């Protein structure tokens, strides 16, 4: 295959055609829109499907186990980005990875659409974990490939792309959630599969013209012997895992519970290993080492932030289902619909925040301070949930306004932290590891959900006040500490703002 330069690739993409952005942004926007539609639509139903009684069409799992599975699943979906990034980088290139990822994801939803119980659930999870690892980080990274190095539309391009994510997430509960809760869970999951199919169709029909060469290259291909060696190792690894499975499952060593603990540990071990390897690498110079040190507190902050944020789909979803009045102004609500609130707030408030940062110009807070605000608001989003429990007790049904406020606060936090998060990762990670920055950023969410796998088991109406209070209070405490250490951390960043 011919080797194209970055220049050739950018020039091959029609540079206008989608809100003044490269035409390829249309393709990536709608591919990711439909992928997120299928993912968040499925997630809006999954918890209820797992813990509802069998007579109600559910799997009848124990509450704590169901919540833990939600978190472990969410963690693995983003952890697998490491594999997806590697496959694109060394074997398939981004375009082909996205395509195969989409096919796996669609297959995963189809499996869940069959009324085949727990077995189908685990097979579906396996397919969607691999598929999302192949699709999500790669679809995001092509966005950056379509702009010239100095093109000042790039950040706006990413913002438009982020809108695509949230628009898909916004409509999904109304379609997938409603079908699932009003008629039958499997019908809902089937709709998620159709969503991913639509995404694949858009991708296949428009990619040649719109993406042209972007994502067709394999940046760092495996050559000759390397290929054989890697495949051998992969084969051996897979074989080992299968043998381990055959030994540990029947003997009761590997259970849902012990698997959960294992993933929680991995959530800590993988990012730690990443940091150590980057720090000790010969390719990392002194300035980069200092930046890497500065990145550690930011990474930890985003882990705590995402831990709270992602509980919106677990603990707050449970709260919507069991503790919230589901009718307002005579309209019957479905508990899954509450999952639309965060993306709705993101869509409406993102432009407000963008304008605010522009208006503040040089007076805007540093990256570190933005992280601290993000965590602060996430903490508040939990603290506020103490109020209804104190006022009405933990048995009563409360007004939907409480959840709405909580989601609003979390999104305010998200808009402080998330848009700067990826770009801070790009700027602070050593150059030699720049291909992996997307994975590193995804790992902060994966680590968060790995922690959640243990945390969410502690939630119960009777522990509600302590649960929200302790986690929210801890987050606020850390955010204050981060705020105070900001000048020092900024110094370690060596010029990165
Ligand atoms: N809402 C974000 C998304 O779906 C959640 C996320 C954050 C995922 C960070 C990965 C990394 O893209």
């Amino acid at each position: 295959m011919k080797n194209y330069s970055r220049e050739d690739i950018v020039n091959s993409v029609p540079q206008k055609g989608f809100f003044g952005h490269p035409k390829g942004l249309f393709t990536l926007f709608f591919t990711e829109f439909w992928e997120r539609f299928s993912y968040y639509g499925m997630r809006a139903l999954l918890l209820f499907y797992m813990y509802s009684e069998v007579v109600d069409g559910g799997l009848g799992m124990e509450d704590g186990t169901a919540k833990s599975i939600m978190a472990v699943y969410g963690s693995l979906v983003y952890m697998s980005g490491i594999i997806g990034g590697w496959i694109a980088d060394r074997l398939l290139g981004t375009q082909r990875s996205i395509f195969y990822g989409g096919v796996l994801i669609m297959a995963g939803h189809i499996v869940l659409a069959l009324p085949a119980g727990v077995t189908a659930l685990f097979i579906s999870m396996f397919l969607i974990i691999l598929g999302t690892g192949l699709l999500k980080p790669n679809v995001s990274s092509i966005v950056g490939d379509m702009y010239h190095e100095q093109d000042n539309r790039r950040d706006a391009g990413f913002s438009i792309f982020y809108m695509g994510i949230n628009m898909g997430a916004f409509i999904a509960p109304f379609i997938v959630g409603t079908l699932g809760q009003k008629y039958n869970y499997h019908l809902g999951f089937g709709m998620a599969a159709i969503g991913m199919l639509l995404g694949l169709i858009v991708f296949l029909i428009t990619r040649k013209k719109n993406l042209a060469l972007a994502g067709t290259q394999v940046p760092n291909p495996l050559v000759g012997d390397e290929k054989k060696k890697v495949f051998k190792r992969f084969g051996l690894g897979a074989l080992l895992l299968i043998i381990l499975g055959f030994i540990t499952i029947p003997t009761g060593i590997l259970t849902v519970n012990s698997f959960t603990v294992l993933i929680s540990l991995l959530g800590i071990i993988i990012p730690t290993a990443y940091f150590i390897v980057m720090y000790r690498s010969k390719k990392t110079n002194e300035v980069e080492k200092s930046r890497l040190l500065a990145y550690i507190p930011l990474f930890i902050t985003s882990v705590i932030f995402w831990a709270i944020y992602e509980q919106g789909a677990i603990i707050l979803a449970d709260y919507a289902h069991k503790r919230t009045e589901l009718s307002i102004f005579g309209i019957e609500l479905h508990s899954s619909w509450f999952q639309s609130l965060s993306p709705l707030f993101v869509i409406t408030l993102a432009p407000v925040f963008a304008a605010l940062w522009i208006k503040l110009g040089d007076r805007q807070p540093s990256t570190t301070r933005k992280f601290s605000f993000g965590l602060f608001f996430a903490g508040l989003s939990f603290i506020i949930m103490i109020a209804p429990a104190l006022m009405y007790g933990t048995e009563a049904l409360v007004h939907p306004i409480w959840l709405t406020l909580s989601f609003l606060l979390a999104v305010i936090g998200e808009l402080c932290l998330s848009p700067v998060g990826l770009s801070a990762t790009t700027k602070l990670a050593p150059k030699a590891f720049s291909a992996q920055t997307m994975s590193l950023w995804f790992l902060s969410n994966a680590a968060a959900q790995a922690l959640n796998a243990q945390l969410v088991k502690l939630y119960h109406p009777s522990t509600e006040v302590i649960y929200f209070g302790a986690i929210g209070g801890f987050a606020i405490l850390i955010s204050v500490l981060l705020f105070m250490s900001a000048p020092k951390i900024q110094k370690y960043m060596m010029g990165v703002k």
Side-chain angles (χ1 to χ4, degrees):
M1 193 196 265
K2 190 170 173 248
N3 252 325
Y4 294 98
S5 70
R6 203 195 137 79
E7 231 8 61
D8 298 333
I9 293 172
V10 178
N11 288 333
S12 76
V13 180
Q15 281 293 311
K16 285 241 159 66
F18 189 59
F19 295 111
H21 282 262
K23 261 208 170 110
L25 193 58
F26 171 91
T27 302
L28 303 172
F29 183 100
F30 283 105
T31 306
E32 181 62 344
F33 171 96
W34 285 115
E35 185 270 328
R36 292 284 94 185
F37 169 92
S38 71
Y39 182 69
Y40 284 120
M42 174 274 292
R43 294 270 294 181
L45 286 175
L46 192 63
L47 177 70
F48 308 144
Y49 171 61
M50 285 192 286
Y51 72 33
S52 292
E53 296 301 331
V54 177
V55 287
D56 298 325
L59 294 175
M61 285 184 181
E62 192 263 326
D63 271 35
T65 309
K67 286 177 190 144
S68 226
I69 291 179
M70 284 293 285
V72 166
Y73 186 17
S75 176
L76 286 171
V77 156
Y78 296 139
M79 240 183 238
S80 65
I82 305 176
I83 304 174
W86 186 88
I87 290 179
D89 193 35
R90 314 223 53 188
L91 287 175
L92 296 177
T94 25
Q95 277 204 25
R96 279 203 286 165
S97 304
I98 292 170
F99 171 72
Y100 290 123
V103 171
L104 287 174
I105 292 171
M106 184 177 71
H109 292 300
I110 292 174
V111 170
L112 207 52
L114 307 172
V118 178
T119 319
L121 173 67
F122 288 136
I123 295 174
S124 159
M125 283 168 62
F126 179 75
L127 293 169
I128 290 173
I129 288 165
L130 273 187
T132 315
L134 278 169
L135 190 148
K136 195 169 189 316
N138 291 322
V139 77
S140 322
S141 81
I142 301 191
V143 174
D145 293 343
M146 299 187 305
Y147 298 88
H148 283 287
E149 209 81 73
Q150 302 304 334
D151 194 332
N152 54 19
R153 293 175 303 171
R154 179 197 298 258
D155 281 357
F158 272 102
S159 305
I160 296 174
F161 182 73
Y162 207 57
M163 285 287 169
I165 290 180
N166 284 288
M167 284 159 120
F170 170 66
I171 64 165
F174 296 114
I175 301 171
V176 176
T178 308
L179 285 175
Q181 289 193 290
K182 196 163 175 189
Y183 302 101
N184 179 299
Y185 287 114
H186 300 285
L187 197 63
F189 298 132
M191 190 62 220
I194 293 175
M196 192 62 252
L197 175 66
L198 294 175
L200 274 170
I201 292 175
V202 175
F203 184 72
L204 284 180
I205 292 183
T206 64
R207 72 163 166 179
K208 265 232 164 65
K209 222 171 109 209
N210 291 356
L211 294 176
L213 294 174
T216 54
Q217 304 273 294
V218 183
N220 181 16
L222 288 176
V223 280
D225 268 1
E226 242 182 342
K227 211 169 194 161
K228 264 195 219 135
K229 226 164 67 196
V230 167
F231 281 135
K232 218 165 152 185
R233 277 199 202 153
F234 255 117
L236 276 177
L239 194 70
L240 202 72
L241 282 181
I242 293 172
I243 295 174
L244 268 177
F246 269 109
I247 299 172
T248 52
I249 295 175
T251 48
I253 298 173
L254 186 68
T255 57
V256 170
N257 249 325
S258 58
F259 185 71
T260 307
V261 174
L262 185 72
I263 299 304
S264 299
L265 290 175
L266 274 184
I268 301 170
I269 294 170
I270 296 176
T272 311
Y274 246 88
F275 276 105
I276 295 178
V277 169
M278 286 193 288
Y279 195 82
R280 300 187 48 180
S281 163
K282 285 205 185 70
K283 294 178 189 151
T284 306
N285 64 32
E286 289 308 312
V287 172
E288 290 178 323
K289 280 190 180 167
S290 167
R291 288 187 178 146
L292 210 47
L293 290 180
Y295 186 59
I296 292 173
L298 298 188
F299 187 87
I300 293 172
T301 303
S302 64
V303 171
I304 308 172
F305 172 82
W306 290 118
I308 293 183
Y309 191 89
E310 294 289 348
Q311 288 191 37
I314 307 174
I315 300 301
L316 299 188
D318 188 47
Y319 197 97
H321 203 60
K322 294 183 185 150
R323 296 264 286 111
T324 306
E325 286 164 11
L326 289 177
S327 88
I328 182 169
F329 313 126
I331 305 170
E332 291 299 314
L333 305 175
H334 287 292
S335 46
S336 59
W337 290 359
F338 282 82
Q339 295 303 312
S340 287
L341 284 168
S342 304
L344 174 67
F345 289 136
V346 173
I347 295 165
T348 47
L349 293 179
V352 177
F353 272 78
L356 177 73
W357 300 143
I358 291 176
K359 192 160 175 238
L360 286 175
D362 281 345
R363 283 173 302 139
Q364 66 180 288
S366 64
T367 297
T368 310
R369 291 241 151 108
K370 284 184 184 165
F371 269 67
S372 105
F373 293 143
L375 186 56
F376 180 79
F377 280 105
L380 274 191
S381 80
F382 264 30
I383 294 292
I384 193 173
M385 293 309 289
I386 297 174
L390 292 182
M391 291 194 297
Y392 314 109
T394 53
E395 301 291 319
L397 291 183
V398 307
H399 195 277
I401 191 71
W402 291 106
L403 275 181
T404 310
L405 276 175
S406 176
F407 280 119
L408 174 64
L409 287 166
V411 167
I412 292 177
E414 175 180 5
L415 291 171
C416 292
L417 184 144
S418 180
V420 280
L422 182 58
S423 86
T425 311
T426 331
K427 291 178 200 153
L428 295 174
K431 262 229 152 56
F433 295 88
S434 66
Q436 289 169 49
T437 46
M438 197 67 75
S439 315
L440 195 59
W441 176 238
F442 276 35
L443 271 184
S444 70
N445 191 312
Q449 300 206 58
L451 288 180
N452 278 353
Q454 305 309 319
L455 270 183
V456 295
K457 289 186 210 166
L458 308 174
Y459 172 83
H460 197 265
S462 64
T463 55
E464 197 173 289
V465 173
I466 307 179
Y467 188 86
F468 287 131
I471 297 177
F474 177 73
I476 289 176
L477 180 75
I478 299 292
S479 78
V480 172
L481 287 178
L482 187 72
F483 186 89
M484 294 191 312
S485 358
K488 198 155 185 195
I489 294 173
Q490 290 292 135
K491 229 186 246 152
Y492 274 88
M493 288 190 189
M494 302 274 179
V496 172
K497 278 207 185 141

